[in-house]
């Protein structure tokens, strides 16, 4: 009995690890079950079968209102944001060949944070009311995250892109963006500063169906594009010399991969805020489960990231009820010690 299954589709052909397929299927089922349980928990409790009936239009009017208008968009956003951040981190770790790389470390998340705080500060009047529609905030966040990602790329350029230089520039840029964000929060309206602080921490509270429909095609297209480029990441993990010897165009590939990573992180940050450390933890957990082959690492990272954000959101809105704690508090509470552990382990190697 062979370990791999051959898969061919027009110009694409690759081998699928059967164990990885089972892990992906198991995680997918776990994500669905977690989503059903999370949707059902709240002031109005619903069993999983009642949630399914409400989703498909066979539940009571009250259940359908609660599920479709309030809970399902929130859980769907947690799934999308978690997947996007996790895959963004997996790209950066594979491309840079550094287990500590993530959108948080390279300044992408803080680029979105700075743009968001700037938006709330500039467009708030003396009465703390916004002078433009709040619907423009996600666009501002996305632009800020993308600009931060490409600023890291430009500053790291010197006869090509060095992975180590990219990380160092990213850490420096993160410090600058954090300082500017804090400055804007201090000089801006107090009410907006409090609102912005919740957004920086990361929360899917207040998500609506339109937000989900806006983010969904963006994440889907970038993930499909990434799967096409999965082999390029595998080559880059072997080192620049090996990748060049195999015919890879490193500069072009890194630009495209950086665009995909920044786009995924920017989209997640725009709607869910700065949910920290998901892009760091999820790829590591996925690598423990299926190894480093990028073709299977991407879907497993996405599923693990979705689980992390959903569970963090569930804990945040139920454990301290009626007070609601942003999901980013719990991902950071787990991720920060894990980051320290990775640093400690790398020091002892």
């Amino acid at each position: 009995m062979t370990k791999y299954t051959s898969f061919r589709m027009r110009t694409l052909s690759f081998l699928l690890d059967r164990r990885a397929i089972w892990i992906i299927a198991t995680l997918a089922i776990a994500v669905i079950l977690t989503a059903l349980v999370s949707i059902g928990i709240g002031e109005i409790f619903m069993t999983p079968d009642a949630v399914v009936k409400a989703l498909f239009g066979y539940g009571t009017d009250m259940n359908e209102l609660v599920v479709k208008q309030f809970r399902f968009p929130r859980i769907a956003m947690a799934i999308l944001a978690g997947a996007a951040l996790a895959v963004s981190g997996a790209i950066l770790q594979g491309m840079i060949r550094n287990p500590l790389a993530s959108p948080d470390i390279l300044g992408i998340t803080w680029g979105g944070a700075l743009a968001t705080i700037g938006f709330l500060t500039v467009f708030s009047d003396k009465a703390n009311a916004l002078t433009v529609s709040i619907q423009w905030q996600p666009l501002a966040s996305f632009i800020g995250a993308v600009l931060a990602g490409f600023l890291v790329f430009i500053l790291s350029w010197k006869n090509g892109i060095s992975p180590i230089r990219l990380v160092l520039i990213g850490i420096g840029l993160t410090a600058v963006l954090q300082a500017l964000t804090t400055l804007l929060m201090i000089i801006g309206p107090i009410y907006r500063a409090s609102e912005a602080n919740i957004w920086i921490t990361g929360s899917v509270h207040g998500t609506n169906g339109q937000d989900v429909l806006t983010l969904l095609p963006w994440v889907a297209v970038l993930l499909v594009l990434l799967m096409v480029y999965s082999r390029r990441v595998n080559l880059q993990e072997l080192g620049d010399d090996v990748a060049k010897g195999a015919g890879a165009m490193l500069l072009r590939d890194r630009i495209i991969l950086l665009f995909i990573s920044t786009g995924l992180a920017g989209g997640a940050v725009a709607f869910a805020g700065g949910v920290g450390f998901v892009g760091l933890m999820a790829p590591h957990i996925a690598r423990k489960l299926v190894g480093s082959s990028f073709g299977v690492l991407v879907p497993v990272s996405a599923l693990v990231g979705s689980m992390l954000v959903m569970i963090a959101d569930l804990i945040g809105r139920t454990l301290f009820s009626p007070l609601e704690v942003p999901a980013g508090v719990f991902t950071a509470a787990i991720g920060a010690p894990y980051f320290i552990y990775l640093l400690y382990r790398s020091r002892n190697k």
Side-chain angles (χ1 to χ4, degrees), residues 293-311:
S293 178
F294 212 71
V296 293
L297 184 66
V298 168
V300 174
S301 295
L303 292 169
V304 171
S306 296
M307 286 285 292
L308 288 174
V309 178
M310 270 199 300
I311 292 173

Side-chain angles (χ1 to χ4, degrees), residues 76-160:
M77 182 57 69
I79 292 173
L80 287 174
L85 290 171
V87 174
S88 176
I91 295 171
L92 294 174
Q93 290 175 13
M95 183 177 69
I96 299 174
R97 302 191 301 279
N98 189 322
L100 303 178
S102 72
D104 315 277
I105 306 301
L106 295 187
I108 297 173
T109 300
W110 281 98
L114 178 62
T116 299
I117 308 308
F119 174 86
L120 295 174
T121 302
V122 171
F123 295 107
S124 292
D125 57 21
K126 294 182 179 179
N128 288 336
L130 282 175
T131 57
V132 298
S133 174
I134 192 65
Q135 293 180 352
W136 291 102
Q137 178 186 315
L139 178 61
S141 306
F142 176 75
I143 293 174
V146 171
L147 289 178
F150 279 92
L151 183 58
V152 171
F153 170 79
I154 292 171
L155 294 176
S156 303
W157 176 267
K158 185 178 180 182
N159 299 322

Side-chain angles (χ1 to χ4, degrees), residues 36-51:
L36 292 176
V37 171
S38 185
I39 292 174
I41 294 178
E43 291 185 7
I44 300 177
F45 177 80
M46 284 174 272
T47 59
D49 63 309
V51 172

Side-chain angles (χ1 to χ4, degrees), residues 239-293:
D240 290 1
D241 293 337
V242 175
K244 289 179 181 178
M249 300 178 65
L250 285 181
L251 177 59
R252 184 200 65 183
D253 292 345
R254 281 176 178 164
I255 291 174
I256 293 174
L257 290 170
L258 186 61
F259 168 78
I260 296 173
S261 176
T262 304
L264 288 170
V269 168
F271 291 98
V275 184
F277 292 101
V278 175
L280 176 71
M281 293 187 293
H284 279 278
I285 296 173
R287 207 170 280 111
K288 292 288 186 181
L289 293 173
V290 295
S292 59
S293 178

